[in-house]
Amino acid sequence: MKGMHYNFKDIFRAARIGFSLQRIWINGLGLLASYIVYLVLTYVALLAGGHSLGSIWFKFGLLPCVFASGIPWYAWIIYVIGVIISLAIILMTNTAVSRAVYMVLREELFYTWTQAFKFALKKWISVLGAMVTFIFMIAFFVVAAIIMGLIGQIPYVGELGTTFLTIPYVLSAVLLFFIIIVFGVAGFFVPAIIATSDEDALGGVFQSFSISFNQPWRIVVYGAMVIVLEAVGIFLFAAALKISYWIFIWLFSLGMGEKILVIQSYALYIIDQAIPAVYGWIHSILGDVGNWVYLIHHHAAPPSVPATYAISSYMLAIFLIFIGGSVLAYGEAIGNAGLTLIYIILYQKQEKESLLEREDEELKEEEEEEGESETNAGTEEKSGEDNETISPNEEEDSNNEEDDAEKE
């Protein structure tokens, strides 16, 4: 991209790059898919744990959680499976967004969201494989420590051997601590690493170790900048949508009168019941400022209304929830854009090479396919011209044959 500085100045582009229908759409689809998986399996876990559907809805609505719910171990397994699948979907979505951001930085402006998803699906083994590799590394140290602890129970030999090997054990614990830190870094950066450098799983693991060891302060400082940009971006986008919503209701109330206000009040009551925890979260974090981005107060149950009013209210509530989801999608887009920019900067600082200028395999394959298509089209056109050239000769030979027949 023109004007890249390869320093902290580039991080400020994250909010602008993330503010795109393409990036918000990609993140929105991924968040919706991961949320549906989490919602369904969490409800299944709570139902399997003996809770009734009505009690779950009354307590959690559309944001269920099993903590402090008192469920058996098999219900916990269902819940954990749902969380793992949801996280895997988010990782794949982040890879697609990072790929789209990378193409924008390369000024490949015709790169589509479907291409980004196809790339992420093609690289799913690399993305998830990198994370699984870290889990196996951590598990190796944990299992080894447990085994050495069991050996330490052997009389005389156990306690003496454990104390004698204290230094190697502590050094191993330091290494495990470092691997856990890198695992946390990889959770954020592996999608950007795969999307920009087209690495495999081991490449993603290696690059995660490399940037964590060689440039930790840049990760901390640049990461803090992205968090601030993401928080500010979410607040400003939510506030803009809230003001736009006020304008919408005010303008339509001039024509519809009380009808639109009744539908609005019923819709906001439905939102209160569907996601009861969000009001408390927003106002606990932001205080009175939360009025600019969410509901000003709780809404009481409306009196009986006609069926058309009720249907319209439910539809409005659903649309408002989707609009709220777009705010989260934009925040996620800022985060992914920022992480992609950070990795491109870190790579350039470390390798003295720009990822934006290196040859990309996907683009190379597309160029080759286009070249083959043009070659095939040229061959077919040439073949058609040859056929047209041969046709007059064949006609002349046919005329000669007819003259010979007449002479005979």
Side-chain angles (χ1 to χ4, degrees):
M1 186 176 185
K2 295 180 180 179
M4 284 286 292
H5 301 90
Y6 295 101
N7 57 32
F8 71 94
K9 298 178 183 178
D10 297 321
I11 306 301
F12 292 101
R13 298 182 177 187
R16 178 170 57 83
I17 294 173
F19 191 67
S20 163
L21 182 60
Q22 181 201 56
R23 267 75 79 190
I24 294 175
W25 174 252
I26 295 173
N27 262 127
L29 288 178
L31 289 175
L32 179 61
S34 63
Y35 167 73
I36 290 174
V37 170
Y38 173 83
L39 177 68
V40 172
L41 291 183
T42 303
Y43 260 85
V44 171
L46 290 170
L47 290 172
H51 297 272
S52 65
L53 184 61
S55 64
I56 299 172
W57 174 260
F58 179 78
K59 185 176 181 180
F60 299 109
L62 294 175
L63 296 175
C65 182
V66 301
F67 294 100
S69 295
I71 60 173
W73 62 269
Y74 52 85
W76 271 101
I77 293 176
I78 298 173
Y79 177 74
V80 171
I81 291 174
V83 171
I84 292 174
I85 296 175
S86 297
L87 292 176
I89 294 173
I90 290 175
L91 279 175
M92 300 307 302
T93 303
N94 292 348
T95 304
V97 177
S98 293
R99 185 64 176 177
V101 171
Y102 175 66
M103 288 301 176
V104 169
L105 294 173
R106 287 183 64 111
E107 298 186 343
E108 296 288 341
L109 303 181
F110 295 100
Y111 195 79
T112 64
W113 65 272
T114 54
Q115 288 177 291
F117 271 121
K118 287 179 181 178
F119 176 87
L121 292 174
K122 185 175 69 174
K123 290 291 184 179
W124 73 272
I125 294 179
S126 298
V127 176
L128 301 182
M131 307 309 295
V132 172
T133 301
F134 277 104
I135 293 173
F136 274 112
M137 293 171 66
I138 295 171
F140 171 79
F141 280 92
V142 173
V143 172
I146 293 173
I147 293 174
M148 298 308 295
L150 293 174
I151 294 175
Q153 293 185 3
I154 300 175
Y156 306 112
V157 178
E159 52 266 25
L160 292 174
T162 300
T163 54
F164 182 75
L165 296 174
T166 298
I167 294 178
Y169 287 164
V170 173
L171 293 177
S172 298
V174 171
L175 180 58
L176 175 60
F177 178 64
F178 178 66
I179 292 174
I180 292 174
I181 292 176
V182 178
F183 179 48
V185 172
F188 293 97
F189 279 96
V190 161
I193 292 171
I194 302 297
T196 56
S197 58
D198 203 12
E199 295 279 3
D200 56 10
L202 293 180
V205 172
F206 174 79
Q207 290 296 334
S208 298
F209 274 105
S210 180
I211 61 176
S212 299
F213 182 78
N214 294 311
Q215 305 183 75
W217 69 270
R218 282 197 177 97
I219 293 176
V220 174
V221 174
Y222 293 173
M225 291 175 62
V226 171
I227 291 173
V228 173
L229 287 173
E230 190 169 355
V232 173
I234 288 175
F235 177 80
L236 293 178
F237 190 43
L241 290 176
K242 182 68 177 289
I243 294 172
S244 301
Y245 173 73
W246 284 341
I247 294 173
F248 155 70
I249 293 296
W250 177 73
L251 290 176
F252 273 73
S253 65
L254 297 178
M256 294 181 65
E258 291 294 324
K259 182 183 292 187
I260 187 66
L261 298 179
V262 173
I263 293 173
Q264 174 200 224
S265 179
Y266 197 173
L268 296 181
Y269 168 75
I270 294 169
I271 293 175
D272 274 343
Q273 302 303 306
I275 42 179
V278 175
Y279 181 88
W281 296 344
I282 296 293
H283 288 272
S284 296
I285 297 172
L286 299 177
D288 292 337
V289 180
N291 296 336
W292 288 91
V293 298
Y294 197 63
L295 305 180
I296 297 176
H297 54 77
H298 285 294
H299 293 77
S304 59
V305 295
T308 55
Y309 280 46
I311 295 173
S312 300
S313 298
Y314 274 98
M315 292 176 63
L316 179 59
I318 293 171
F319 290 146
L320 290 177
I321 290 174
F322 272 101
I323 290 173
S326 70
V327 175
L328 298 179
Y330 174 53
E332 189 76 4
I334 294 175
N336 284 313
L339 292 171
T340 305
L341 286 165
I342 290 174
Y343 180 68
I344 290 172
I345 295 169
L346 297 179
Y347 188 89
Q348 196 277 336
K349 296 288 186 184
Q350 185 169 303
E351 304 295 336
K352 308 302 179 184
E353 177 188 0
S354 175
L355 287 169
L356 302 178
E357 297 174 359
R358 69 188 300 182
E359 186 177 54
D360 185 80
E361 290 296 327
E362 184 183 13
L363 295 178
K364 183 180 178 181
E365 291 176 0
E366 290 180 0
E367 290 175 358
E368 290 177 353
E369 290 177 359
E370 290 177 359
E372 290 177 0
S373 299
E374 291 177 358
T375 302
N376 293 334
T379 303
E380 291 176 359
E381 184 177 351
K382 184 177 180 181
S383 176
E385 292 177 354
D386 292 341
N387 291 336
E388 290 178 0
T389 304
I390 294 171
S391 296
N393 295 334
E394 292 178 348
E395 185 177 352
E396 185 177 351
D397 293 341
S398 177
N399 292 333
N400 292 335
E401 291 177 359
E402 290 177 359
D403 293 340
D404 292 341
E406 289 177 358
K407 289 179 180 179
E408 292 176 357

